[in-house]
Amino acid sequence: MTALPHPRLVSLKAAARTAGGEAFALSRLLLAGKAALAAAIAWYLAPYVPFAHDEYSYYAPLGVLVSMYPTIADSAKAGLQAVGGLAIGIAIGLVGLWFVSGPSPRIVGVAIVVGVGVAVGGIRALGTGRDWIAIAALFVLLLGANDAGGFSVSYLVTMAFGVVIGVAVNLAIIPPLYLRRAATRLSQLRDAVSDRLEMLATSIADGEPADEAGQRYLEEILDAVSTDVREAARSRKAHPLARRRRGIETENNRRLRALENTVRQTIELADGIDGLPLTPDAAPPRAALAEAVRATARAVARPLGDPAAATTVEDAEKALARVIETVPARNDGRISPWTRTAVDLSRIIDASRPFT
């Protein structure tokens, strides 16, 4: 008999495949190529930057790195924030140099500029520039002692030059626009929800509780897809083709809102399954509910623009109506678990209606 691999080994292999897919995705490789090209250009042109000394040219590729993000808007924002953080850090470093120019030892200056830099870096409005404040202050104190003004100006100007090169290359060479990728991810989420509903239908028919792993997976993929859709929306900002693609963004946002409702109600439906009775007289309504959930799964699975989408939604509504007819009435005034599941299913069906 062949021994099964250890679960931890399987998990590590899955994590390695995921990491490999993320590192070698086409969009990531394109970003890496643009960053490499921009860094080379910045390094080559840095000696010609006015007001900066040649020996500090290595800060230009660093400026490229801090500004190279998947979207143009994020690149420009991060670059400006980094330059702002550097300016604040340089100011702190210059104050530290003045402080240690007297009788105070250098070690006290190091402690002061680092402490002040980290404290000021707590200002959230500075964004990614927060991370550069203490670093810039320390560099000015330790590396700019002999020529504080020349080092500070060269540091700031050369980094800013690298930021400009990074944003320019990101904009000039296949500027990223992730709207269609986001649409694909939304379709993957739609299929995941449909599969989950099929699994819940089987659990209802077999009288088994819904597995928690499926719940967590649905929440995780919703979070991931929501992030992708938001990134796609950011990729439109400052993009030359943004106006032509506005319809795709609007469609993605509508689909995301509908799928968020669908996922939320699917989770509620799964939670309500455990409360359904298992008595012999519950078999008919369980069978009717399972069929209604399967019909709803088919409605959810229909692609955008499918001419049969409206028909599958009607079929799901009819199946839900049969559930309501089959469910026994209660006389104690309390809401039955059948009613709760029917309400959840009705909301999923409503969210699955074709856009008009």
CSV table of all heavy atoms in Angstrom, one decimal, residues 236-299:
chain,number,residue,atom,x,y,z
A,236,ARG,N,-6.9,52.5,-13.2
A,236,ARG,CA,-7.5,53.5,-14.2
A,236,ARG,C,-7.0,54.9,-14.1
A,236,ARG,O,-7.0,55.7,-15.0
A,236,ARG,CB,-9.1,53.5,-14.1
A,236,ARG,CG,-9.8,52.3,-14.7
A,236,ARG,CD,-11.3,52.6,-14.8
A,236,ARG,NE,-11.6,53.6,-15.7
A,236,ARG,CZ,-12.1,54.8,-15.3
A,236,ARG,NH1,-12.2,55.1,-14.1
A,236,ARG,NH2,-12.4,55.7,-16.2
A,237,LYS,N,-6.6,55.2,-12.8
A,237,LYS,CA,-6.2,56.6,-12.6
A,237,LYS,C,-4.9,56.9,-13.3
A,237,LYS,O,-4.0,56.2,-13.2
A,237,LYS,CB,-6.0,56.8,-11.1
A,237,LYS,CG,-7.3,56.6,-10.2
A,237,LYS,CD,-7.0,56.8,-8.8
A,237,LYS,CE,-8.3,56.6,-8.0
A,237,LYS,NZ,-8.1,56.7,-6.5
A,238,ALA,N,-4.9,58.0,-14.0
A,238,ALA,CA,-3.8,58.5,-14.8
A,238,ALA,C,-3.5,57.6,-16.0
A,238,ALA,O,-2.4,57.7,-16.6
A,238,ALA,CB,-2.6,58.7,-13.9
A,239,HIS,N,-4.3,56.6,-16.3
A,239,HIS,CA,-4.1,55.7,-17.4
A,239,HIS,C,-4.6,56.3,-18.7
A,239,HIS,O,-5.7,56.9,-18.8
A,239,HIS,CB,-4.8,54.4,-17.2
A,239,HIS,CG,-4.2,53.3,-18.0
A,239,HIS,ND1,-4.6,53.2,-19.4
A,239,HIS,CD2,-3.4,52.3,-17.7
A,239,HIS,CE1,-4.0,52.1,-19.8
A,239,HIS,NE2,-3.2,51.5,-18.9
A,240,PRO,N,-3.8,56.2,-19.8
A,240,PRO,CA,-4.3,56.9,-21.1
A,240,PRO,C,-5.5,56.3,-21.7
A,240,PRO,O,-6.2,56.9,-22.4
A,240,PRO,CB,-3.1,56.7,-22.0
A,240,PRO,CG,-2.3,55.6,-21.4
A,240,PRO,CD,-2.5,55.7,-19.9
A,241,LEU,N,-5.9,55.0,-21.3
A,241,LEU,CA,-7.1,54.4,-21.9
A,241,LEU,C,-8.2,54.3,-20.8
A,241,LEU,O,-9.2,53.6,-21.0
A,241,LEU,CB,-6.7,52.9,-22.3
A,241,LEU,CG,-5.7,52.8,-23.4
A,241,LEU,CD1,-5.4,51.3,-23.7
A,241,LEU,CD2,-6.1,53.5,-24.7
A,242,ALA,N,-8.0,55.1,-19.8
A,242,ALA,CA,-9.0,55.0,-18.7
A,242,ALA,C,-10.4,55.3,-19.1
A,242,ALA,O,-11.4,54.6,-18.7
A,242,ALA,CB,-8.6,55.9,-17.5
A,243,ARG,N,-10.6,56.3,-19.9
A,243,ARG,CA,-12.0,56.7,-20.3
A,243,ARG,C,-12.7,55.7,-21.1
A,243,ARG,O,-13.9,55.4,-21.0
A,243,ARG,CB,-11.9,58.1,-21.1
A,243,ARG,CG,-13.2,58.7,-21.4
A,243,ARG,CD,-13.1,60.1,-21.9
A,243,ARG,NE,-12.5,60.9,-20.8
A,243,ARG,CZ,-12.3,62.2,-21.0
A,243,ARG,NH1,-12.6,62.8,-22.2
A,243,ARG,NH2,-11.8,63.0,-20.1
A,244,ARG,N,-11.9,55.0,-22.0
A,244,ARG,CA,-12.5,53.9,-22.8
A,244,ARG,C,-12.9,52.7,-22.0
A,244,ARG,O,-13.8,51.9,-22.4
A,244,ARG,CB,-11.5,53.5,-23.9
A,244,ARG,CG,-11.0,54.6,-24.8
A,244,ARG,CD,-10.1,54.1,-25.8
A,244,ARG,NE,-9.4,55.1,-26.6
A,244,ARG,CZ,-8.5,54.9,-27.5
A,244,ARG,NH1,-8.1,53.6,-27.8
A,244,ARG,NH2,-7.9,55.9,-28.2
A,245,ARG,N,-12.3,52.5,-20.9
A,245,ARG,CA,-12.6,51.3,-20.1
A,245,ARG,C,-13.5,51.6,-18.9
A,245,ARG,O,-13.7,50.7,-18.0
A,245,ARG,CB,-11.3,50.7,-19.5
A,245,ARG,CG,-10.3,50.4,-20.6
A,245,ARG,CD,-10.8,49.2,-21.4
A,245,ARG,NE,-9.7,48.7,-22.3
A,245,ARG,CZ,-9.5,49.1,-23.6
A,245,ARG,NH1,-10.3,50.0,-24.1
A,245,ARG,NH2,-8.6,48.6,-24.3
A,246,ARG,N,-14.1,52.7,-18.8
A,246,ARG,CA,-15.0,53.0,-17.7
A,246,ARG,C,-16.1,52.1,-17.5
A,246,ARG,O,-16.5,51.7,-16.4
A,246,ARG,CB,-15.5,54.5,-17.8
A,246,ARG,CG,-16.3,54.9,-16.6
A,246,ARG,CD,-16.6,56.4,-16.6
A,246,ARG,NE,-17.3,56.8,-15.4
A,246,ARG,CZ,-16.8,57.0,-14.2
A,246,ARG,NH1,-15.4,56.9,-14.1
A,246,ARG,NH2,-17.5,57.4,-13.2
A,247,GLY,N,-16.7,51.6,-18.6
A,247,GLY,CA,-17.8,50.7,-18.6
A,247,GLY,C,-17.4,49.4,-17.9
A,247,GLY,O,-18.2,48.8,-17.2
A,248,ILE,N,-16.2,48.9,-18.1
A,248,ILE,CA,-15.7,47.7,-17.5
A,248,ILE,C,-15.6,47.8,-16.0
A,248,ILE,O,-16.0,47.0,-15.2
A,248,ILE,CB,-14.4,47.2,-18.1
A,248,ILE,CG1,-14.5,47.0,-19.6
A,248,ILE,CG2,-13.9,46.0,-17.4
A,248,ILE,CD1,-13.2,46.7,-20.3
A,249,GLU,N,-15.1,49.0,-15.6
A,249,GLU,CA,-15.0,49.2,-14.1
A,249,GLU,C,-16.4,49.3,-13.5
A,249,GLU,O,-16.6,48.7,-12.4
A,249,GLU,CB,-14.3,50.5,-13.8
A,249,GLU,CG,-14.1,50.8,-12.3
A,249,GLU,CD,-13.5,52.2,-12.1
A,249,GLU,OE1,-13.3,52.9,-13.0
A,249,GLU,OE2,-13.4,52.5,-10.9
A,250,THR,N,-17.3,50.0,-14.1
A,250,THR,CA,-18.7,50.0,-13.6
A,250,THR,C,-19.3,48.6,-13.5
A,250,THR,O,-19.9,48.3,-12.4
A,250,THR,CB,-19.6,50.9,-14.4
A,250,THR,OG1,-19.0,52.2,-14.5
A,250,THR,CG2,-21.0,51.0,-13.9
A,251,GLU,N,-19.1,47.9,-14.5
A,251,GLU,CA,-19.6,46.5,-14.5
A,251,GLU,C,-19.0,45.6,-13.4
A,251,GLU,O,-19.7,44.9,-12.7
A,251,GLU,CB,-19.4,45.9,-15.9
A,251,GLU,CG,-19.9,44.5,-16.0
A,251,GLU,CD,-19.6,43.9,-17.4
A,251,GLU,OE1,-18.6,43.3,-17.6
A,251,GLU,OE2,-20.4,44.2,-18.3
A,252,ASN,N,-17.7,45.8,-13.2
A,252,ASN,CA,-17.0,45.0,-12.2
A,252,ASN,C,-17.5,45.4,-10.8
A,252,ASN,O,-17.7,44.5,-9.9
A,252,ASN,CB,-15.5,45.3,-12.2
A,252,ASN,CG,-14.8,44.6,-13.4
A,252,ASN,OD1,-15.4,43.7,-14.0
A,252,ASN,ND2,-13.6,45.0,-13.7
A,253,ASN,N,-17.7,46.7,-10.6
A,253,ASN,CA,-18.2,47.1,-9.3
A,253,ASN,C,-19.6,46.6,-9.0
A,253,ASN,O,-19.9,46.1,-7.9
A,253,ASN,CB,-18.3,48.6,-9.2
A,253,ASN,CG,-16.9,49.2,-9.1
A,253,ASN,OD1,-15.9,48.6,-8.7
A,253,ASN,ND2,-16.7,50.5,-9.6
A,254,ARG,N,-20.5,46.5,-10.0
A,254,ARG,CA,-21.8,46.0,-9.8
A,254,ARG,C,-21.7,44.5,-9.6
A,254,ARG,O,-22.5,44.0,-8.7
A,254,ARG,CB,-22.7,46.2,-11.1
A,254,ARG,CG,-22.9,47.7,-11.3
A,254,ARG,CD,-23.7,47.9,-12.6
A,254,ARG,NE,-25.0,47.4,-12.6
A,254,ARG,CZ,-25.8,47.4,-13.6
A,254,ARG,NH1,-25.4,47.8,-14.8
A,254,ARG,NH2,-27.1,46.9,-13.6
A,255,ARG,N,-20.9,43.8,-10.3
A,255,ARG,CA,-20.7,42.3,-10.1
A,255,ARG,C,-20.2,42.1,-8.7
A,255,ARG,O,-20.6,41.1,-8.0
A,255,ARG,CB,-19.8,41.7,-11.1
A,255,ARG,CG,-20.4,41.7,-12.5
A,255,ARG,CD,-19.4,41.1,-13.5
A,255,ARG,NE,-19.2,39.7,-13.2
A,255,ARG,CZ,-18.3,38.9,-13.7
A,255,ARG,NH1,-17.3,39.4,-14.5
A,255,ARG,NH2,-18.2,37.6,-13.4
A,256,LEU,N,-19.2,42.9,-8.2
A,256,LEU,CA,-18.7,42.7,-6.9
A,256,LEU,C,-19.7,42.8,-5.8
A,256,LEU,O,-19.8,42.0,-4.9
A,256,LEU,CB,-17.5,43.6,-6.7
A,256,LEU,CG,-16.8,43.5,-5.3
A,256,LEU,CD1,-16.2,42.1,-5.1
A,256,LEU,CD2,-15.7,44.5,-5.1
A,257,ARG,N,-20.5,43.9,-5.9
A,257,ARG,CA,-21.6,44.1,-4.9
A,257,ARG,C,-22.5,42.9,-4.9
A,257,ARG,O,-23.0,42.5,-3.8
A,257,ARG,CB,-22.3,45.4,-5.2
A,257,ARG,CG,-21.5,46.7,-4.9
A,257,ARG,CD,-22.4,47.9,-4.8
A,257,ARG,NE,-22.9,48.2,-6.1
A,257,ARG,CZ,-22.4,48.9,-7.1
A,257,ARG,NH1,-21.2,49.5,-6.8
A,257,ARG,NH2,-22.9,49.2,-8.2
A,258,ALA,N,-22.9,42.5,-6.1
A,258,ALA,CA,-23.9,41.3,-6.1
A,258,ALA,C,-23.2,40.1,-5.5
A,258,ALA,O,-23.9,39.3,-4.8
A,258,ALA,CB,-24.3,41.1,-7.6
A,259,LEU,N,-22.0,39.8,-5.8
A,259,LEU,CA,-21.3,38.6,-5.3
A,259,LEU,C,-21.0,38.7,-3.8
A,259,LEU,O,-21.1,37.7,-3.1
A,259,LEU,CB,-20.0,38.4,-6.1
A,259,LEU,CG,-20.2,37.8,-7.5
A,259,LEU,CD1,-18.9,37.9,-8.3
A,259,LEU,CD2,-20.8,36.4,-7.4
A,260,GLU,N,-20.8,39.9,-3.4
A,260,GLU,CA,-20.6,40.1,-1.9
A,260,GLU,C,-21.9,39.7,-1.2
A,260,GLU,O,-21.9,39.0,-0.1
A,260,GLU,CB,-20.2,41.6,-1.6
A,260,GLU,CG,-18.8,41.9,-1.9
A,260,GLU,CD,-18.5,43.4,-1.7
A,260,GLU,OE1,-19.4,44.2,-1.7
A,260,GLU,OE2,-17.3,43.7,-1.5
A,261,ASN,N,-23.0,40.2,-1.7
A,261,ASN,CA,-24.3,39.8,-1.1
A,261,ASN,C,-24.5,38.3,-1.2
A,261,ASN,O,-25.0,37.6,-0.3
A,261,ASN,CB,-25.5,40.5,-1.8
A,261,ASN,CG,-25.5,42.0,-1.6
A,261,ASN,OD1,-25.0,42.4,-0.5
A,261,ASN,ND2,-26.0,42.8,-2.5
A,262,THR,N,-24.2,37.7,-2.4
A,262,THR,CA,-24.3,36.3,-2.6
A,262,THR,C,-23.5,35.5,-1.6
A,262,THR,O,-24.0,34.5,-1.0
A,262,THR,CB,-24.0,35.9,-4.0
A,262,THR,OG1,-24.8,36.6,-4.9
A,262,THR,CG2,-24.2,34.4,-4.3
A,263,VAL,N,-22.2,35.9,-1.4
A,263,VAL,CA,-21.4,35.1,-0.5
A,263,VAL,C,-21.9,35.3,0.9
A,263,VAL,O,-21.9,34.3,1.7
A,263,VAL,CB,-19.9,35.7,-0.6
A,263,VAL,CG1,-19.1,35.2,0.6
A,263,VAL,CG2,-19.3,35.3,-1.9
A,264,ARG,N,-22.3,36.5,1.3
A,264,ARG,CA,-22.8,36.7,2.7
A,264,ARG,C,-24.0,35.8,2.9
A,264,ARG,O,-24.1,35.1,4.0
A,264,ARG,CB,-23.1,38.1,2.9
A,264,ARG,CG,-23.6,38.5,4.3
A,264,ARG,CD,-23.7,40.0,4.6
A,264,ARG,NE,-24.5,40.7,3.6
A,264,ARG,CZ,-24.0,41.5,2.6
A,264,ARG,NH1,-22.7,41.7,2.5
A,264,ARG,NH2,-24.8,42.1,1.8
A,265,GLN,N,-24.9,35.7,2.0
A,265,GLN,CA,-26.1,34.9,2.2
A,265,GLN,C,-25.8,33.4,2.1
A,265,GLN,O,-26.5,32.6,2.8
A,265,GLN,CB,-27.2,35.3,1.2
A,265,GLN,CG,-27.7,36.7,1.3
A,265,GLN,CD,-28.2,37.0,2.7
A,265,GLN,OE1,-28.1,38.1,3.3
A,265,GLN,NE2,-28.9,36.1,3.4
A,266,THR,N,-24.8,33.1,1.3
A,266,THR,CA,-24.5,31.7,1.2
A,266,THR,C,-23.9,31.2,2.5
A,266,THR,O,-24.2,30.1,3.0
A,266,THR,CB,-23.4,31.4,0.1
A,266,THR,OG1,-24.0,31.8,-1.2
A,266,THR,CG2,-23.0,30.0,0.0
A,267,ILE,N,-23.1,32.0,3.2
A,267,ILE,CA,-22.6,31.7,4.5
A,267,ILE,C,-23.7,31.6,5.5
A,267,ILE,O,-23.7,30.7,6.4
A,267,ILE,CB,-21.5,32.8,4.9
A,267,ILE,CG1,-20.3,32.7,4.0
A,267,ILE,CG2,-21.2,32.6,6.4
A,267,ILE,CD1,-19.3,33.8,4.3
A,268,GLU,N,-24.7,32.5,5.4
A,268,GLU,CA,-25.8,32.5,6.3
A,268,GLU,C,-26.6,31.2,6.1
A,268,GLU,O,-27.1,30.5,7.0
A,268,GLU,CB,-26.7,33.7,6.1
A,268,GLU,CG,-26.2,35.0,6.6
A,268,GLU,CD,-26.1,35.1,8.1
A,268,GLU,OE1,-26.9,34.4,8.7
A,268,GLU,OE2,-25.3,35.9,8.6
A,269,LEU,N,-26.8,30.8,4.8
A,269,LEU,CA,-27.5,29.6,4.5
A,269,LEU,C,-26.8,28.4,5.1
A,269,LEU,O,-27.4,27.5,5.6
A,269,LEU,CB,-27.6,29.4,3.0
A,269,LEU,CG,-28.2,28.2,2.4
A,269,LEU,CD1,-29.7,28.1,2.8
A,269,LEU,CD2,-28.1,28.1,0.9
A,270,ALA,N,-25.5,28.3,5.0
A,270,ALA,CA,-24.7,27.2,5.5
A,270,ALA,C,-24.9,27.1,7.0
A,270,ALA,O,-25.0,26.0,7.6
A,270,ALA,CB,-23.2,27.3,5.1
A,271,ASP,N,-24.9,28.3,7.7
A,271,ASP,CA,-25.1,28.3,9.2
A,271,ASP,C,-26.4,27.8,9.5
A,271,ASP,O,-26.6,27.1,10.6
A,271,ASP,CB,-24.9,29.7,9.7
A,271,ASP,CG,-23.4,30.2,9.6
A,271,ASP,OD1,-22.5,29.3,9.5
A,271,ASP,OD2,-23.2,31.4,9.6
A,272,GLY,N,-27.4,28.0,8.7
A,272,GLY,CA,-28.8,27.6,9.0
A,272,GLY,C,-29.1,26.2,8.8
A,272,GLY,O,-30.1,25.6,9.3
A,273,ILE,N,-28.2,25.5,8.0
A,273,ILE,CA,-28.4,24.1,7.7
A,273,ILE,C,-28.4,23.2,8.9
A,273,ILE,O,-29.2,22.3,9.1
A,273,ILE,CB,-27.4,23.6,6.7
A,273,ILE,CG1,-27.7,24.2,5.3
A,273,ILE,CG2,-27.4,22.1,6.6
A,273,ILE,CD1,-26.7,23.9,4.2
A,274,ASP,N,-27.5,23.6,9.9
A,274,ASP,CA,-27.4,22.7,11.1
A,274,ASP,C,-28.7,22.8,11.9
A,274,ASP,O,-28.9,21.8,12.7
A,274,ASP,CB,-26.3,23.3,11.9
A,274,ASP,CG,-24.9,23.1,11.2
A,274,ASP,OD1,-24.9,22.2,10.3
A,274,ASP,OD2,-23.9,23.7,11.6
A,275,GLY,N,-29.5,23.8,11.7
A,275,GLY,CA,-30.8,23.9,12.5
A,275,GLY,C,-31.9,23.2,11.9
A,275,GLY,O,-33.0,23.1,12.5
A,276,LEU,N,-31.8,22.6,10.7
A,276,LEU,CA,-32.9,21.9,10.0
A,276,LEU,C,-33.2,20.6,10.7
A,276,LEU,O,-32.2,19.8,11.1
A,276,LEU,CB,-32.6,21.7,8.6
A,276,LEU,CG,-32.4,22.9,7.7
A,276,LEU,CD1,-32.0,22.5,6.3
A,276,LEU,CD2,-33.7,23.8,7.7
A,277,PRO,N,-34.4,20.2,10.9
A,277,PRO,CA,-34.7,18.9,11.6
A,277,PRO,C,-34.3,17.7,10.7
A,277,PRO,O,-34.3,17.8,9.5
A,277,PRO,CB,-36.2,19.0,11.8
A,277,PRO,CG,-36.7,20.0,10.8
A,277,PRO,CD,-35.6,21.0,10.6
A,278,LEU,N,-34.1,16.6,11.4
A,278,LEU,CA,-33.7,15.4,10.8
A,278,LEU,C,-34.7,14.3,10.9
A,278,LEU,O,-34.5,13.1,10.7
A,278,LEU,CB,-32.3,14.9,11.4
A,278,LEU,CG,-31.1,15.8,11.1
A,278,LEU,CD1,-29.9,15.3,11.9
A,278,LEU,CD2,-30.8,15.8,9.6
A,279,THR,N,-35.9,14.6,11.4
A,279,THR,CA,-37.0,13.7,11.6
A,279,THR,C,-37.5,13.1,10.2
A,279,THR,O,-37.3,13.8,9.2
A,279,THR,CB,-38.2,14.3,12.3
A,279,THR,OG1,-38.6,15.5,11.6
A,279,THR,CG2,-37.7,14.7,13.7
A,280,PRO,N,-38.2,12.0,10.2
A,280,PRO,CA,-38.6,11.4,8.9
A,280,PRO,C,-39.6,12.3,8.2
A,280,PRO,O,-39.5,12.4,6.9
A,280,PRO,CB,-39.4,10.1,9.4
A,280,PRO,CG,-38.7,9.8,10.7
A,280,PRO,CD,-38.4,11.0,11.3
A,281,ASP,N,-40.4,13.1,8.9
A,281,ASP,CA,-41.3,14.0,8.2
A,281,ASP,C,-40.6,15.2,7.6
A,281,ASP,O,-41.2,16.0,6.8
A,281,ASP,CB,-42.4,14.5,9.1
A,281,ASP,CG,-41.9,15.2,10.3
A,281,ASP,OD1,-40.7,15.1,10.6
A,281,ASP,OD2,-42.7,16.0,10.9
A,282,ALA,N,-39.3,15.4,7.9
A,282,ALA,CA,-38.5,16.5,7.3
A,282,ALA,C,-37.9,16.1,6.0
A,282,ALA,O,-37.3,17.0,5.3
A,282,ALA,CB,-37.4,16.9,8.3
A,283,ALA,N,-38.0,14.8,5.6
A,283,ALA,CA,-37.3,14.4,4.4
A,283,ALA,C,-37.9,15.1,3.1
A,283,ALA,O,-37.1,15.6,2.3
A,283,ALA,CB,-37.5,12.9,4.2
A,284,PRO,N,-39.2,15.3,3.0
A,284,PRO,CA,-39.7,16.0,1.8
A,284,PRO,C,-39.2,17.4,1.7
A,284,PRO,O,-38.8,17.8,0.6
A,284,PRO,CB,-41.2,15.9,1.9
A,284,PRO,CG,-41.5,14.7,2.8
A,284,PRO,CD,-40.3,14.6,3.7
A,285,PRO,N,-39.4,18.2,2.8
A,285,PRO,CA,-38.9,19.6,2.6
A,285,PRO,C,-37.4,19.7,2.4
A,285,PRO,O,-36.9,20.6,1.7
A,285,PRO,CB,-39.3,20.3,3.9
A,285,PRO,CG,-39.6,19.2,4.9
A,285,PRO,CD,-40.1,18.0,4.1
A,286,ARG,N,-36.6,18.7,3.0
A,286,ARG,CA,-35.2,18.7,2.8
A,286,ARG,C,-34.9,18.4,1.3
A,286,ARG,O,-34.0,19.1,0.7
A,286,ARG,CB,-34.5,17.6,3.6
A,286,ARG,CG,-34.1,18.1,5.0
A,286,ARG,CD,-33.2,17.0,5.7
A,286,ARG,NE,-32.7,17.5,6.9
A,286,ARG,CZ,-31.5,18.1,7.1
A,286,ARG,NH1,-30.8,18.3,6.0
A,286,ARG,NH2,-31.1,18.6,8.2
A,287,ALA,N,-35.6,17.5,0.7
A,287,ALA,CA,-35.4,17.2,-0.7
A,287,ALA,C,-35.7,18.4,-1.6
A,287,ALA,O,-35.0,18.8,-2.5
A,287,ALA,CB,-36.2,16.0,-1.1
A,288,ALA,N,-36.8,19.1,-1.2
A,288,ALA,CA,-37.2,20.3,-2.0
A,288,ALA,C,-36.2,21.4,-1.8
A,288,ALA,O,-35.9,22.1,-2.8
A,288,ALA,CB,-38.6,20.7,-1.5
A,289,LEU,N,-35.7,21.6,-0.6
A,289,LEU,CA,-34.7,22.6,-0.4
A,289,LEU,C,-33.4,22.3,-1.1
A,289,LEU,O,-32.8,23.3,-1.7
A,289,LEU,CB,-34.5,22.8,1.1
A,289,LEU,CG,-33.5,23.9,1.5
A,289,LEU,CD1,-33.9,25.2,1.1
A,289,LEU,CD2,-33.3,23.8,3.1
A,290,ALA,N,-33.0,21.1,-1.1
A,290,ALA,CA,-31.8,20.7,-1.8
A,290,ALA,C,-31.9,21.0,-3.3
A,290,ALA,O,-31.0,21.5,-3.9
A,290,ALA,CB,-31.5,19.2,-1.6
A,291,GLU,N,-33.1,20.7,-3.8
A,291,GLU,CA,-33.3,21.0,-5.3
A,291,GLU,C,-33.3,22.5,-5.5
A,291,GLU,O,-32.7,23.0,-6.6
A,291,GLU,CB,-34.6,20.3,-5.7
A,291,GLU,CG,-34.9,20.6,-7.2
A,291,GLU,CD,-33.7,20.2,-8.1
A,291,GLU,OE1,-33.0,19.2,-7.9
A,291,GLU,OE2,-33.5,20.9,-9.1
A,292,ALA,N,-33.9,23.3,-4.6
A,292,ALA,CA,-33.9,24.7,-4.8
A,292,ALA,C,-32.5,25.3,-4.7
A,292,ALA,O,-32.1,26.2,-5.5
A,292,ALA,CB,-34.8,25.4,-3.7
A,293,VAL,N,-31.7,24.8,-3.8
A,293,VAL,CA,-30.3,25.2,-3.7
A,293,VAL,C,-29.5,24.9,-5.0
A,293,VAL,O,-28.7,25.7,-5.5
A,293,VAL,CB,-29.6,24.6,-2.5
A,293,VAL,CG1,-28.1,25.0,-2.4
A,293,VAL,CG2,-30.3,25.1,-1.2
A,294,ARG,N,-29.7,23.7,-5.5
A,294,ARG,CA,-29.1,23.3,-6.8
A,294,ARG,C,-29.5,24.3,-7.9
A,294,ARG,O,-28.7,24.7,-8.8
A,294,ARG,CB,-29.4,21.9,-7.1
A,294,ARG,CG,-28.7,20.9,-6.2
A,294,ARG,CD,-28.7,19.5,-6.8
A,294,ARG,NE,-28.1,18.5,-5.9
A,294,ARG,CZ,-28.7,17.8,-5.0
A,294,ARG,NH1,-30.0,17.9,-4.8
A,294,ARG,NH2,-28.0,17.0,-4.2
A,295,ALA,N,-30.8,24.6,-8.0
A,295,ALA,CA,-31.3,25.5,-9.0
A,295,ALA,C,-30.7,26.9,-8.8
A,295,ALA,O,-30.3,27.5,-9.8
A,295,ALA,CB,-32.8,25.5,-8.9
A,296,THR,N,-30.5,27.3,-7.6
A,296,THR,CA,-29.9,28.6,-7.3
A,296,THR,C,-28.4,28.6,-7.7
A,296,THR,O,-27.9,29.5,-8.3
A,296,THR,CB,-30.0,28.9,-5.8
A,296,THR,OG1,-31.4,28.9,-5.5
A,296,THR,CG2,-29.4,30.3,-5.6
A,297,ALA,N,-27.8,27.4,-7.5
A,297,ALA,CA,-26.4,27.3,-7.9
A,297,ALA,C,-26.2,27.5,-9.4
A,297,ALA,O,-25.3,28.1,-9.9
A,297,ALA,CB,-25.8,26.0,-7.5
A,298,ARG,N,-27.2,26.9,-10.2
A,298,ARG,CA,-27.2,27.0,-11.6
A,298,ARG,C,-27.4,28.5,-12.0
A,298,ARG,O,-26.8,29.0,-13.0
A,298,ARG,CB,-28.2,26.1,-12.3
A,298,ARG,CG,-27.9,24.6,-12.1
A,298,ARG,CD,-28.8,23.8,-13.0
A,298,ARG,NE,-30.2,23.8,-12.5
A,298,ARG,CZ,-30.6,22.9,-11.6
A,298,ARG,NH1,-29.8,22.0,-11.1
A,298,ARG,NH2,-31.9,23.0,-11.2
A,299,ALA,N,-28.2,29.2,-11.3
A,299,ALA,CA,-28.5,30.6,-11.6
A,299,ALA,C,-27.2,31.5,-11.3
A,299,ALA,O,-26.9,32.3,-12.1
A,299,ALA,CB,-29.7,31.1,-10.8
